[in-house]
Structure formats: C-alpha cells, structure tokens
Amino acid sequence: MVIYNKSKFLKSKRFILPFLHTKDLKPLASLLTPSNFIIPMLVVAILGQLSEDLKTTINPKDIQQIPSVKLYFKLLSSGKSTVNLSVLYAISKTLGPELETLSILNIRERINFLSLLQKKIVLEKSPAQIIPKPNILYDHVELMKHRKGLALQFRNLLIATPIFSNHSLVLGLSIGQTTIDCIINSCKFYWSLLGLNEEEFDFSLKKEAMNCIKKHSLKDLFEIPKSLMQTVKILLYVELKELTDFKNLLVFYDDLIVLRGQNNLTMIENELTFIQRKIPNLPQDIFVPDSNLKDLIIRAAIDQRKEQRFRIDNIFKRTEDKQPKSKLNINILKNINIKKTLHNN
C-alpha cells in the first residue's frame, strides 16, 4: 500500500474535476478505471483552455458553436469513459434500494452486482429525468429515470463548467498552464483519495492502452507505450476516433479561430501531437475590371468574397488587438499582412 502525504497534495498544483466528490465514489472505487478520470479531465481541460484563450474575443455562446468544441462536447456527453463515470456517480447517490442485496454478498459478488447495475443503466432506453420525490428509492421505474437524470446532469456540468467557470477547474496554477502531466498527477491524487494503489493506476492505464492498440489495429501508428503520457494519447485518440472519422491526424479545418498557443492549439492539444487546427485562410486575391462589374453574377461573387474576407480579417484583428505582434505565430502574421487586392467597388 502506498502512503500519501495529503497535506502535500492539497498544496500542490492540481486540476479539479468539477462536482466530483471522492467520498461519494469511494464505495464504488473497485468499479473505476484510470481512464474514467483521465479522459474527462483531458477534455474538460482542453475546453477550459479554449475558453480562456477566446473569452476576450468571442462570447461563450459563439465558443460553443466552434466545431472542435462541439466534438469535445460530444465526447463528454457520449464517450464511454465519461458515461461510465457519470453512471457510477449516479449510483453512488442512490444506493439505498440495493442495501438488502449488498448485505448478503461477498466482495467479489458485490463487484459483479454493481457492475451489472452500471451496465443496465448505460443500456437502459428509458428517459433521463431527475425526480425530486422523497420515495424515489422505492419505485424501480422512477429510480431508473432518476439515475439516468443524475448521470446526464453530471455530464452537462462537465460541459458547462470549462466554458463559464474555467477558473474553478484548477488549484495553484492557471488553466492555460495545465499540461498532460498535471492531468495525470491530478488523476493519481483522486485515485489515492479513493484508497487505491498508484502502481495499480499505472498498470491498469498501460493495460487499457495496449488493449486499444490490439483492438483497433494501431500498431503502425503507436508504439508500445513506455510512459503514461503515451498511454493517455492512445486512449484519447481511440475515444475521439470512435466519434468522428479521421485517419492518423484529427484536423479541425472549420474552427475559424486563432489561439495564442503554438500551432494554433491549446497547450494540451499541442502535447497530444495528433491534433491540428488550421489557421483561417483569406480568400485568394483577384482583380476584376470595371467593365465586368455590371455582371450580376460577378457582382454577387465579389460581394460574397468581400464579406468572407471581412469576417476573417476581424478574426485576425481581434487576435492582433489582444496580443503583441512579436508573440504571434509566424503563420498568423503572414495571414494578417496579406495584401488586399480584391476590388473594393
């Protein structure tokens, strides 16, 4: 058993998964896997970094419409790691009805029983609904709806917090400074609070990554993981791959945003190495003679091109206004300084 100095952890720099209380989950600790913490934390942290970077130039409503943000939302709402964690959270809040059964089972039988209950809630087709009735624990049908409602509420909070309250996600550092190593250490902290062994954490995480490589035939893309950083990349890659169709790289073409981070990515996205976000391109320059301006099709095309250029110009202008040019990515500067020769008539 590894002994942890909790006072040291409390003073350290940590990432905090919102609304997750380990004292509630502790009775169900045996059902948790490291990826149940790692994947939600990574995605919430990326969203927090995007929101922090863009909050001075884009309002929260528009941030939620960015394609990459929508994909991260989808992973938090339907990805297997987050769904499993949210269901265990819901069960931990409503264990009363199973008391009689749990009291007569041994440890292994309890784990199997709770694992089956978890799967049943995940697969259940009944609607999700939080039901504030005092006798909810004694109505099987209503309890199922209530548990699904609690799980959905938990996932919705994971989605909303990094957009509207990203400062609450970190302790002792800024959201922009959060790295994958910080996420791993923070997960280990939660793991220790659940009374679980750090060596088991490392072993289980690497085992999950190896299983993913075999199951999804990723040997040509990923080597056998030698570090936890590599295992985390593999696990997140697979969950994203299950939600959207991409080959070796996940490329965001349509985000139309410019970030302060390297390669137009947040710090964590850049560390992952398999994500790209394209810098918005201005429309190609073209000269239209005055004699062609009476052509209605040409005129409409010019107006649309000018509108597109104006919109993308504003994206670069907002980036320029919030940060000195000397710190901007060279590729971004090239786009900002493009000569505008589009006909202005």
Side-chain angles (χ1 to χ4, degrees):
M1 175 66 70
V2 177
I3 299 176
Y4 295 90
N5 185 336
K6 290 188 178 180
S7 63
K8 179 181 178 181
F9 272 113
L10 290 174
K11 295 178 181 178
S12 66
K13 298 178 179 180
R14 289 194 284 114
F15 186 85
I16 301 169
L17 204 56
F19 305 99
L20 183 68
H21 304 292
T22 52
K23 65 181 181 64
D24 295 328
L25 277 178
K26 200 167 185 177
L28 305 177
S30 57
L31 299 177
L32 289 162
T33 65
S35 61
N36 292 154
F37 290 109
I38 286 280
I39 301 302
M41 270 196 184
L42 276 175
V43 180
V44 170
I46 291 172
L47 285 169
Q49 290 181 341
L50 281 167
S51 176
E52 178 68 18
D53 195 293
L54 297 170
K55 68 180 182 181
T56 58
T57 60
I58 305 177
N59 63 54
K61 182 178 179 180
D62 290 334
I63 290 175
Q64 294 175 75
Q65 299 307 312
I66 296 170
S68 61
V69 171
K70 285 186 174 181
L71 177 60
Y72 294 136
F73 282 175
K74 187 175 181 180
L75 193 147
L76 287 177
S77 63
S78 59
K80 60 182 180 182
S81 295
T82 310
V83 168
N84 285 337
L85 179 61
S86 68
V87 169
L88 288 176
Y89 165 85
I91 294 174
S92 73
K93 296 289 188 181
T94 56
L95 268 176
E98 286 75 30
L99 176 61
E100 292 84 352
T101 303
L102 292 171
S103 64
I104 61 174
L105 299 178
N106 60 39
I107 294 177
R108 175 49 55 186
E109 289 171 336
R110 286 182 180 183
I111 293 174
N112 291 337
F113 175 78
L114 291 171
S115 181
L116 288 172
L117 177 60
Q118 179 188 9
K119 292 177 181 177
K120 183 177 180 180
I121 296 174
V122 171
L123 298 174
E124 175 63 40
K125 300 299 182 182
S126 63
Q129 180 183 1
I130 295 180
I131 305 172
K133 293 181 180 179
N135 62 339
I136 186 67
L137 298 181
Y138 305 102
D139 186 321
H140 175 75
V141 175
E142 297 287 272
L143 178 59
M144 181 61 72
K145 294 179 183 178
H146 184 64
R147 282 172 166 167
K148 288 178 69 68
L150 288 175
L152 180 60
Q153 181 187 59
F154 178 79
R155 298 198 296 275
N156 287 340
L157 290 171
L158 292 185
I159 290 171
T161 303
I163 301 298
F164 297 100
S165 185
N166 56 33
H167 62 277
S168 66
L169 298 172
V170 287
L171 179 68
L173 75 165
S174 70
I175 187 70
Q177 295 173 322
T178 306
T179 63
I180 293 178
D181 279 338
C182 176
I183 296 294
I184 292 172
N185 291 331
S186 298
C187 287
K188 287 186 176 182
F189 172 68
Y190 279 108
W191 201 251
S192 69
L193 291 182
L194 291 168
L196 300 171
N197 190 289
E198 183 175 334
E199 292 180 359
E200 293 174 1
F201 180 95
D202 294 359
F203 175 79
S204 180
L205 202 60
K206 290 179 179 179
K207 182 179 179 181
E208 284 187 79
M210 287 297 299
N211 289 338
C212 285
I213 289 176
K214 294 178 182 178
K215 181 178 178 181
H216 298 276
S217 302
L218 301 177
K219 292 182 180 179
D220 295 336
L221 189 59
F222 293 105
E223 297 179 353
I224 296 175
K226 297 179 181 178
S227 68
L228 292 185
M229 170 81 80
Q230 291 172 315
T231 66
V232 167
K233 291 179 182 179
I234 294 167
L235 293 172
L236 184 59
Y237 177 92
V238 168
E239 289 220 19
L240 286 168
K241 184 79 170 175
E242 291 175 346
L243 295 179
T244 186
D245 183 29
F246 65 94
K247 294 184 179 179
N248 295 345
L249 293 175
L250 174 57
V251 184
F252 297 122
Y253 292 99
D254 303 319
D255 275 8
L256 295 183
I257 57 174
V258 178
L259 305 177
R260 288 170 288 188
Q262 293 183 1
N263 304 314
N264 204 26
L265 299 169
T266 68
M267 179 174 286
I268 291 178
E269 286 176 326
N270 197 56
E271 286 184 302
L272 289 169
T273 68
F274 63 81
I275 294 178
Q276 289 183 359
R277 178 177 289 106
K278 294 298 184 182
I279 296 171
N281 289 320
L282 289 168
Q284 293 182 353
D285 298 330
I286 184 172
F287 176 77
V288 180
D290 290 341
S291 59
N292 290 343
L293 293 179
K294 293 181 180 180
D295 186 317
L296 294 181
I297 293 179
I298 297 296
R299 182 72 256 180
I302 289 174
D303 291 342
Q304 290 177 17
R305 185 74 70 90
K306 286 170 63 177
E307 182 182 352
Q308 184 185 16
R309 180 185 285 276
F310 178 75
R311 186 160 58 91
I312 296 178
D313 266 347
N314 281 339
I315 293 171
F316 290 118
K317 185 178 184 302
R318 289 196 299 264
T319 305
E320 209 174 7
D321 289 344
K322 75 176 181 178
Q323 185 168 325
K325 283 187 178 182
S326 60
K327 294 183 179 180
L328 285 172
N329 184 289
I330 293 176
N331 291 326
I332 297 174
L333 274 175
K334 286 180 180 178
N335 273 323
I336 293 175
N337 295 324
I338 285 179
K339 183 179 180 181
K340 304 175 187 177
T341 59
L342 183 65
H343 203 290
N344 290 319
N345 285 341

